[in-house]
Amino acid sequence: MDDQLDKDELTYESVSSPDLDPLFDPGSVAVVGASPDSFYSGNLVENLLAYGFEGTLYPVNPGRDEVWGRQCYDDIADIPDAVDLAVVSVPREYAVDVVASAGERGVPVALVLTAGFSEADETGAELEAELAVTAEEAGIRVVGPNCIGVMASEGATLTSTCSRNPQPGGIGLVSQSGALAFTTFFERAADNDVHFSHIVSTGNEVDLTAADHVAYLAEQDDVDVVCTYIEGVEEPERFLRVAEAAVRAGTPVLTVKIGSSELSEAATLSHTGSLTGDDDAWKAAFDQTGIERVPDIPDLLARASAHTAYAEPDGDSVCVASTSGGLASLLADMAAERDLSLPEIEGETERRLLDIEELLTYGGFNNPADIRGYGAHALPEIASAVLDDDSFDAYVFAIGLPGVDERAETIAEDLEQIASEADDPVYVLWTGRKEPDDPTETPPYARLRESIPVYEDPSRCMDAVMSTADFVTARDRLADRYSRDKLAPDARGPITDLPEDGQVLTWTESESLLDAYDIPAVETHLVTTADAAASAAEEVGFPAVVKIDSPALPHRTEAGAVQLDIGSTDAARKAYEEVIDAASTVVDVEEIEGVLVQPMVDDGVEAIAGIAPDDVFGSLVSVGPGGVLVEALDETATLVPPFSRADARTAVEDTALAALLQDRREGPAPGIEPFIDFLVHVGDLAAGTDDVAELDLNPVVVTAEGPVAVDALVRTDP
């Protein structure tokens, strides 16, 4: 548990979610701009009526008296009864007024299909800003604009691009691409008997955001897993808190995230900025909050289907039985790549398998077990043997045989019964021929797919197994950590006496900032004469370090303005003059604050820790081996503030720094825990103030007495 905290301290408050029942399951819908001649509003109404809407439809169009056998109203204000949802499909110049009228009418939600806003031109951007203000003033929630629509399998289908009647399912989808939501996610899933409970295209998110929809869906009883397709997030911290709350409460969140955060160009000043890759921020954010990132749409559907079909596994131990030895070997490699455990098949389980004559096995069984093609005739007996073994948490039956012949009928029936009776998840991988000779015939594997997922690709099958196991791990890990809202430090306000406009701080200013966040720094004296340098060196002890202090010269080593291993007062005087001379060749004398004298800390492990600006999350914290090892190892980990001690520990353990701290060849190892504390304080600084754009602590020397920063480069926010 993080810091061995009491469980009561770890309780969290669920994030607020909007009431979107009127959006997904409205009792009455007003379609403003309704016309059979319009692709968007016309097809939307056709789908709404064809796919089981049992509420009341109110067409609104001043140019018509009647459509779809219903009275057509001139204005939404003319509708005599209450309206739950207003669908807006009018030219963009009228959309703001329509939303205002709907709000004044007391409509709780508007679904704005109209395009041509910020995605189009400057006029559209101005209209979108006006729409946002109008919606807030009118007290109406808005989905869109530039939105393809929404769907709820047990509610209403409100989109022009849904080609078939949605079937009940357990997947909630939040997509920032409308076309992908209904023409790719929905269609591909339906072709494979994978179904959604809800789909929402978020459009331009002038009001309701992806985070709002995730928060709502995670609270619905018919949603087993929330899937998101994300291009960019306006409120990244809220999105992370919403997703974290969902995972904590038992709802997996899977994400296809395209693009990546781009570091500000100003980050090139420090090592920290140059070491953080474009996509590191999102990876860190997802890892810290339990979100599972998925590479593509088919893989998202494969994993999501597992979360809807199976109970959570008790662990990551998997038993694989394959009719093909080659497929068994492939699955073994894939399990290892995904950190899935394959315990040995032994003892009573192995004996029972050896007694099955159809297996024609000599010697013993490995895991994966090669049951050969003959084993398909004995699937119930094989399953009985392995399912009784408590060594396994999940099972994969890999069938490398045709999926359409008479034998396939028996295999499908056996697998359906095995899966239905098993206490643990049973995954079916069927890689054989899938198309029957008679195109009107439903093949056995397809009928089986109506009951449980049937995977055709080995990698997607093993990804699905991994996904269910990883979710349990993520949920349990979060349960022992503070939630993000509790991690956020109290804002300390602007740090006074710091220069503005993106300036680099002096050592005195940097030391004051570090001290405010309990970040220890090495004892340092600022001197302005050679004699003072000698006295300071004698006070800190020999050997000492002498280096220039000048915000205009942030990389003093490259200018020769640093002298190490100073062993006497005379050497300190000489070093003072030499670093002043070296710095004076690069910067004006007026830009030199003085000379810093420090004890030489060389009996420890060097680390790097720092803060870099990020366009999405504001700031990132990086950590890894420091000093000369920064370039030599090129190995750092990234964290998104705020983060817990457990997050910090995971980041350190992802680099070679952990081994250096715990297994030092020369002298006693300082251990990892004191540096974890140090890193958390750096995170508190990053999360607690907006005044610092960049911080580079390199090196941080970790000794038996604890870590200390011996150098600091700090740049304020421009």
Side-chain angles (χ1 to χ4, degrees):
M1 185 181 295
D2 198 11
D3 281 333
Q4 296 301 308
L5 297 169
D6 186 272
K7 278 288 186 180
D8 291 338
E9 296 182 275
L10 293 172
T11 57
Y12 69 97
E13 296 181 2
S14 60
V15 295
S16 61
S17 64
D19 179 11
L20 298 184
D21 290 347
L23 172 67
F24 289 106
D25 191 16
S28 56
V29 177
V31 179
V32 185
S35 170
D37 300 328
S38 166
F39 173 83
Y40 290 105
S41 67
N43 285 339
L44 179 143
V45 171
E46 295 286 353
N47 288 337
L48 179 67
L49 297 176
Y51 298 153
F53 178 60
E54 297 179 354
T56 305
L57 169 65
Y58 298 107
V60 179
N61 189 331
R64 292 178 178 269
D65 295 327
E66 182 179 295
V67 285
W68 291 287
R70 291 166 171 80
Q71 177 184 351
C72 198
Y73 296 90
D74 290 344
D75 190 280
I76 197 169
D78 298 332
I79 298 173
D81 301 311
V83 175
D84 292 331
L85 175 67
V87 177
V88 182
S89 182
V90 298
R92 67 178 184 176
E93 57 267 29
Y94 302 113
V96 174
D97 289 341
V98 171
V99 170
S101 295
E104 292 170 2
R105 180 70 175 73
V107 180
V109 183
L111 174 64
V112 183
L113 306 182
T114 304
F117 287 86
S118 62
E119 82 284 358
D121 54 25
E122 184 175 341
T123 299
E126 292 173 356
L127 284 171
E128 186 168 307
E130 185 180 351
L131 177 62
V133 173
T134 299
E136 184 175 7
E137 291 178 348
I140 185 172
R141 304 311 305 263
V142 173
V143 181
N146 186 31
C147 167
I148 294 295
V150 302
M151 178 277 285
S153 60
E154 300 291 344
T157 298
L158 291 151
T159 177
S160 61
T161 55
C162 190
S163 68
R164 66 188 96 179
N165 191 1
Q167 301 300 308
I171 304 172
L173 173 64
V174 179
S175 176
Q176 291 184 326
S177 168
L180 282 180
F182 287 99
T183 64
T184 303
F185 281 99
F186 175 80
E187 297 292 348
R188 180 169 292 215
D191 286 343
N192 290 281
D193 292 303
V194 176
H195 303 292
F196 295 92
S197 60
H198 304 73
I199 296 177
V200 56
S201 157
T202 64
N204 293 6
E205 300 186 12
V206 70
D207 173 35
L208 290 166
T209 66
D212 291 318
H213 293 294
V214 171
Y216 172 81
L217 293 179
E219 294 179 350
Q220 305 310 302
D221 293 337
D222 55 346
V223 175
D224 298 317
V225 55
V226 175
C227 294
T228 66
Y229 177 87
I230 297 296
E231 296 170 353
V233 180
E234 286 294 323
E235 301 176 313
E237 182 59 29
R238 172 164 165 76
F239 180 82
L240 295 180
R241 292 189 184 190
V242 162
E244 179 194 55
V247 175
R248 285 177 177 273
T251 301
V253 178
L254 312 184
T255 295
V256 173
K257 170 66 181 72
I258 66 166
S260 59
S261 65
E262 296 179 359
L263 289 175
S264 165
E265 292 180 2
T268 57
L269 180 65
S270 73
H271 285 293
T272 304
S274 62
L275 289 171
T276 305
D278 287 345
D279 210 34
D280 291 342
W282 281 108
K283 180 182 183 302
F286 292 156
D287 287 346
Q288 288 170 223
T289 53
I291 301 171
E292 181 180 351
R293 189 173 188 177
V294 183
D296 56 36
I297 293 171
D299 208 30
L300 183 76
L301 297 175
R303 301 185 196 198
S305 66
H307 287 285
T308 65
Y310 304 116
E312 296 164 0
D314 294 329
D316 61 3
S317 296
V318 183
C319 176
V320 179
S322 171
T323 62
S324 162
L327 182 57
S329 298
L330 177 63
L331 294 173
D333 288 344
M334 289 181 172
E337 291 168 359
R338 290 157 177 79
D339 293 326
L340 295 171
S341 174
L342 296 174
E344 291 294 326
I345 295 174
E346 54 191 3
E348 177 65 14
T349 303
E350 184 177 34
R351 186 194 64 75
R352 290 174 63 181
L353 291 175
L354 290 172
D355 286 343
I356 300 175
E357 295 181 2
E358 289 88 347
L359 295 186
L360 300 176
T361 300
Y362 304 95
F365 279 94
N366 297 315
N367 185 17
D370 178 10
I371 62 174
R372 296 181 172 83
Y374 293 103
H377 297 285
L379 286 177
E381 293 177 80
I382 295 170
S384 178
V386 296
L387 290 172
D388 286 342
D389 194 330
D390 293 336
S391 302
F392 307 113
D393 304 308
Y395 301 83
V396 175
F397 286 88
I399 310 299
L401 299 169
V404 295
D405 57 15
E406 291 183 4
R407 179 167 56 168
E409 295 278 1
T410 302
I411 294 173
E413 292 173 1
D414 288 341
L415 290 171
E416 182 176 14
Q417 183 172 356
I418 290 167
S420 66
E421 295 178 354
D423 294 330
D424 297 310
V426 173
Y427 294 79
V428 173
L429 170 64
W430 204 326
T431 62
R433 177 171 171 266
K434 295 296 191 296
E435 295 300 325
D437 294 331
D438 182 356
T440 65
E441 177 187 344
T442 301
Y445 77 91
R447 288 197 296 274
L448 174 62
R449 199 170 57 197
E450 296 173 2
S451 302
I452 59 172
V454 176
Y455 299 96
E456 302 177 15
D457 181 89
S459 64
R460 292 205 170 98
C461 178
M462 298 308 287
D463 282 341
V465 179
M466 174 190 68
S467 182
T468 54
D470 284 354
F471 166 69
V472 175
T473 300
R475 183 200 59 197
D476 293 347
R477 183 181 71 241
L478 290 176
D480 287 340
R481 302 185 183 186
Y482 279 132
S483 58
R484 289 186 70 81
D485 62 317
K486 289 192 175 182
L487 284 171
D490 294 333
R492 310 201 181 189
I495 304 298
T496 58
D497 301 328
L498 292 185
E500 299 177 354
D501 301 327
Q503 294 186 41
V504 176
L505 302 190
T506 66
W507 173 264
T508 300
E509 293 166 336
S510 298
E511 190 174 39
S512 176
L513 174 67
L514 297 180
D515 183 64
Y517 284 89
D518 300 320
I519 300 171
V522 70
E523 178 187 354
T524 303
H525 296 263
L526 174 65
V527 298
T528 55
T529 67
D531 286 341
S535 297
E538 189 169 28
E539 182 175 344
V540 300
F542 299 108
V545 176
V546 173
K547 55 189 178 185
I548 206 71
D549 182 23
S550 171
L553 190 60
H555 300 299
R556 54 175 74 91
T557 302
E558 297 171 4
V562 178
Q563 298 240 352
L564 307 177
D565 206 19
I566 305 301
S568 67
T569 54
D570 289 341
R573 291 188 183 91
K574 182 179 179 183
Y576 176 92
E577 301 293 349
E578 290 178 348
V579 297
I580 288 286
D581 290 343
S584 299
T585 64
V586 182
V587 300
D588 294 338
V589 174
E590 292 79 12
E591 296 178 299
I592 298 174
E593 294 292 317
V595 170
L596 304 176
V597 181
Q598 301 171 333
M600 188 166 177
V601 185
D602 58 359
D603 186 24
V605 175
E606 292 188 340
I608 183 173
I611 302 167
D614 182 77
D615 289 343
V616 175
F617 298 102
S619 62
L620 306 174
V621 171
S622 293
V623 62
V628 297
L629 294 179
V630 172
E631 284 81 12
L633 294 180
D634 189 24
E635 187 179 279
T636 58
T638 301
L639 290 155
V640 177
F643 52 84
S644 66
R645 292 190 81 259
D647 292 325
R649 183 181 296 103
T650 298
V652 172
E653 290 174 347
D654 283 343
T655 73
L657 178 59
L660 296 173
L661 292 172
Q662 297 178 103
D663 188 22
R664 191 176 175 210
R665 292 185 177 181
E666 299 178 1
I672 194 173
E673 296 306 320
F675 183 74
I676 297 301
D677 293 331
F678 182 97
L679 187 58
V680 168
H681 292 313
V682 174
D684 288 344
L685 192 160
T689 178
D690 294 328
D691 297 294
V692 175
E694 193 171 1
L695 168 70
D696 199 34
L697 305 178
N698 182 36
V700 176
V701 181
V702 187
T703 69
E705 286 74 37
V708 290
V710 301
D711 209 352
L713 190 162
V714 184
R715 179 172 60 84
T716 57
D717 193 53

